[in-house]
Every structure is written in structure tokens, then in C-alpha cells.
Amino acid sequence: MDTIVAGSSTTTQNSPGLRDQRDQSDVDRGKRSKLDSSPDFSRSPTDVSSTTTVTMSMDKSPQKNERGGLSDYDRAIDLLKNNPPEQRLDFHLPYFQYLKLEDCWSKMRLAENIPEDQKYPYLAYDSAAEIATVVTVPRDLHEGPALELGMMFMNGARDYLSSHGADASLVRCVHNAGSTTFKGIYGSYARSKKQADGAIVYTPFGGHTTIMIAIEVGYSQDYTALCRNKDQWIEGRHVKVCVLVRLDESPRFRNPRTLNESIVDVEAEMEKMGRSMAESVIRDHSRGYYGSIEYRDHKWVGDLTEVFIEVWRVNKRQPVRYQPLQNAWSCNRLPKTIGLKVSDFVPDLKAANIPDSSLSFDAILYVDILRRSLQTTAEERYLEFISP
């Protein structure tokens, strides 16, 4: 089902209202640690992928906020240093202060021997909105959909080019750059730095790399923040197409607030969890239901209540939205295309004497990928909870 929506607050035909919600951050301010002797202790009580937008103090020295917690600057440092899973922090920060934060993070990486190729945590900046962002290590439900979508796009474009007689060198020009970090170039975004969740680029032999399609995944993330990411690509890098994927998990995951049992053989316990999950996963798959996964009387992943894909194009004020899942159920008519064309992947398709065409989209495969990501995410969270 494909529906054009105006802006960010319209509704899809034959569906409940699509929510644009602002998620409040509940960031774990303490050092990432294992369970202690308190029965109410929870190592990671944070809402998944929670996002907050706050005003940054100009004084970067350690200080308390109005609620007695850490300042936003120190919260950012704590997240960067300890990298607790599934956290995102957005906060207003003037550019000169962002440079100080970036310098501090660079020195921390050097002091703690953090390799340059380690993707997470990462620090990003939107110079148009003056918003700094810290993103810590995500789960598979965020990483998987972005990676797989990029591979589907790249393979589809390459297969079409090959089947229409394109030279092998042209086919190889289209490739998946994954979650590469790019800097802004144009206008008020010139000082921006952003790591795409996925990106398809065109790189001719010996030529300049062009970002053709940017992919951003919002996992229980503020939709407004997701749209700001889109603006960074379209306005800040003149990317012609940006694909947004919104995933909403409900209820938000929280670790049990009870002591962890002493588990000596972690591998055997994970195998036991896998067997326990199998029956419910198979049952839900047959019904087209993308529901929660429970083990030991706790939900390790919530219902995947909403999934939609939006395709934004340069000079278009409205996206085209496709919604394969609604209220944790698969839609009866899954989309066979999401409106991407071969010309979206190759800057000058006419010069190659290849006709343009819409690319197909295997929505059945994609929602199956989402189901596997749900299961993997549940396993990752449980393993994090029980690991010594």
C-alpha cells in the first residue's frame, strides 16, 4: 500500500492515525556495570532508542541540571565513554562548543585505544539546527533493516543494469557504502557531520563519489529528529533521494528490576532461550503477527506496532509512504515497489543507453528480515543481561 502524505502529521488511508511522538530520554547516567546486590537494581533501565532535545549550558564544566542530574555536556561524555546500548541523545549546542566536545571525544578515543573503525558510539552535528547527537551501540532491529535495505537496493539496481547490457564497470560503480560518515557541504549544513544508517553511492573509476540514496532508520525515535536527518542529506549534501524507515516498538524495552540468577553456562542458557522462543515465533509468523518475545516471564522485545517507509525526493515537500506493518500485523497487500528508479542510482543513465524503469521491492522478504531482527534483538538484550 503506497500513500502520499503531506509533511509529518497526516494519516494513511485505511489506517489509524500515524503518531509523531516526542520521546523523552531516560539516559543511564552511571557507568555501565553488572548487577549489584540491590534487588531493585537494573543495569539498563532506559527506554530503547530514547531521544531528548534540551538546551545546552555554555559552561562545559561538570555541573548538575535543575533535576540534580548531570549536565547535558557530561551526559554526552558519559554516553561516549561507556557506550551503553540503544541510547540516543540530542541537545542544542553552538558550533564552537561542539568542536570542544568533538576534541574531548578524540582525546578519549586515543587514551582508551578505541580503534578508528569502531562505528559506535558516534558523535554527529546538525549545524543548521545546532543540535549535537550521541548515538551508542544499537541492536539488530536498528542495524539489520538499514543494512538489508541497502543491499536490496544495490542488488536490484545492479541486476537491472546487467540484464540491460550495461558494461561491468558501470555496474560496479553502484555500491552500498553502509553507515559511512559524511560531512555537510551546502548552506547552513556546511558544518554538519552525519553517519548514514545506509547509503548507496555512485563511484566511477577514478572519479568523484556521489551519494545517490541515503537511508535513515528511526527505531522508536522522535519522527521530527528522523526528518532532521533527512534534511541534512537533501539540503546539506544535495542527495536526491532519502529513504526513511520508522520502526516503533511497544512497550519500550526495560531490563527486569530483579537480580539476575547466577548462570554459569551462558551458551547453554542462550540455546534454551532460543528453543523457548521458537514456538511463539513460528506461530506468529504463520499469522502475520509481529508481536513481543517473552522468556522467563519478561518481554525482551515488544510488539512491532508500526513500520513505515517514506521516500523523500529533492524539491518535493511530500514523501511517498509505504506501510507494510500496522498494529503489529502484516498488511494484506504488501508493496511491490517503493518508487525507486534505476536513474536514482546512476547520474546519467541516458549516456549509457539504458532505459529507465522502476525497481521492484520484495516486501515479503523485508518483513521477514524484520521478524529475524526482532528475534536477534531479544537474544542480544537477554545476553547483555545475563553475561558475567
Side-chain angles (χ1 to χ4, degrees):
M1 175 177 61
D2 52 284
T3 306
I4 296 178
V5 297
S8 62
S9 59
T10 58
T11 57
T12 306
Q13 291 179 343
N14 303 321
S15 69
L18 298 172
R19 296 166 297 172
D20 296 342
Q21 59 186 31
R22 293 187 176 274
D23 306 324
Q24 294 300 314
S25 177
D26 184 21
V27 178
D28 180 11
R29 300 179 179 88
K31 185 174 178 62
R32 188 177 178 185
S33 60
K34 305 304 177 184
L35 295 177
D36 66 7
S37 59
S38 169
D40 292 326
F41 178 84
S42 173
R43 172 173 11 137
S44 179
T46 313
D47 287 348
V48 168
S49 301
S50 56
T51 304
T52 186
T53 301
V54 294
T55 302
M56 171 65 191
S57 169
M58 299 297 287
D59 179 6
K60 77 182 187 75
S61 60
Q63 58 180 308
K64 302 292 185 179
N65 61 23
E66 292 179 356
R67 298 182 300 276
L70 293 175
S71 70
D72 303 313
Y73 189 96
D74 290 315
R75 290 172 71 194
I77 292 296
D78 185 69
L79 287 175
L80 289 168
K81 183 177 181 180
N82 298 306
N83 197 21
E86 303 181 78
Q87 304 297 315
R88 176 187 170 112
L89 173 67
D90 289 342
F91 58 102
H92 290 286
L93 192 67
Y95 183 63
F96 77 93
Q97 287 288 88
Y98 168 75
L99 292 179
K100 294 180 180 179
L101 180 61
E102 189 175 50
D103 181 61
C104 182
W105 173 224
S106 296
K107 291 177 179 177
M108 286 169 53
R109 292 182 69 103
L110 183 63
E112 300 185 20
N113 295 317
I114 299 175
E116 288 296 326
D117 60 352
Q118 179 178 310
K119 294 192 301 181
Y120 299 100
Y122 79 78
L123 181 62
Y125 190 67
D126 181 340
S127 57
E130 291 192 328
I131 292 178
T133 299
V134 178
V135 178
T136 68
V137 59
R139 298 300 189 194
D140 188 54
L141 197 49
H142 181 278
E143 289 283 90
L147 175 64
E148 295 290 349
L149 197 60
M151 294 301 296
M152 291 173 70
F153 290 165
M154 182 193 73
N155 291 334
R158 283 182 168 184
D159 289 347
Y160 180 90
L161 293 170
S162 296
S163 66
H164 285 76
D167 186 85
S169 60
L170 175 61
V171 175
R172 289 195 297 268
C173 290
V174 179
H175 61 99
N176 184 9
S179 54
T180 305
T181 299
F182 298 96
K183 289 190 174 182
I185 297 177
Y186 302 103
S188 58
Y189 292 93
R191 292 174 169 177
S192 295
K193 186 178 76 171
K194 181 75 178 70
Q195 179 173 302
D197 291 322
I200 307 299
V201 301
Y202 180 84
T203 308
F205 182 75
H208 173 67
T209 296
T210 302
I211 308 170
M212 303 303 295
I213 297 174
I215 302 170
E216 290 290 340
V217 177
Y219 176 32
S220 295
Q221 177 186 337
D222 185 343
Y223 179 74
T224 302
L226 193 59
C227 285
R228 282 201 308 269
N229 294 342
K230 173 263 301 180
D231 293 338
Q232 284 186 263
W233 296 115
I234 292 181
E235 298 180 28
R237 284 300 298 256
H238 289 184
V239 175
K240 293 183 179 180
V241 179
C242 185
V243 178
L244 303 184
V245 181
R246 162 77 182 195
L247 309 170
D248 196 14
E249 177 191 8
S250 180
R252 302 287 177 81
F253 168 73
R254 298 178 77 90
N255 263 335
R257 300 192 67 86
T258 57
L259 280 174
N260 173 32
E261 294 182 8
S262 178
I263 296 175
V264 177
D265 192 338
V266 173
E267 184 176 352
E269 175 64 16
M270 293 306 299
E271 290 180 357
K272 183 179 179 181
M273 181 194 187
R275 293 192 297 270
S276 176
M277 288 192 300
E279 183 177 346
S280 62
V281 169
I282 293 172
R283 181 185 65 248
D284 288 347
H285 178 75
S286 64
R287 298 188 300 158
Y289 183 62
Y290 292 73
S292 60
I293 294 177
E294 297 187 23
Y295 181 65
R296 290 185 179 267
D297 298 321
H298 188 78
K299 289 185 178 180
W300 296 98
V301 70
D303 293 351
L304 197 55
T305 53
E306 183 176 73
V307 174
F308 64 74
I309 302 171
E310 287 185 347
V311 178
W312 290 80
R313 292 184 175 274
V314 65
N315 298 325
K316 297 288 186 179
R317 300 183 63 182
Q318 302 178 37
V320 180
R321 177 178 290 185
Y322 306 85
Q323 193 151 8
L325 296 182
Q326 290 178 296
N327 298 320
W329 290 91
S330 175
C331 295
N332 291 328
R333 293 192 303 169
L334 292 172
K336 296 182 178 180
T337 179
I338 58 171
L340 295 182
K341 298 183 177 181
V342 184
S343 54
D344 293 326
F345 298 81
V346 180
D348 193 356
L349 196 61
K350 290 183 180 180
N353 197 29
I354 294 175
D356 199 6
S357 176
S358 295
L359 288 180
S360 61
F361 176 68
D362 193 341
I364 295 177
L365 173 61
Y366 193 65
V367 296
D368 200 39
I369 290 168
L370 293 179
R371 184 181 301 283
R372 292 199 300 271
S373 292
L374 277 172
Q375 182 174 344
T376 304
T377 297
E379 292 172 344
E380 289 173 344
R381 289 169 174 170
Y382 185 59
L383 178 60
E384 177 77 14
F385 183 71
I386 67 172
S387 293

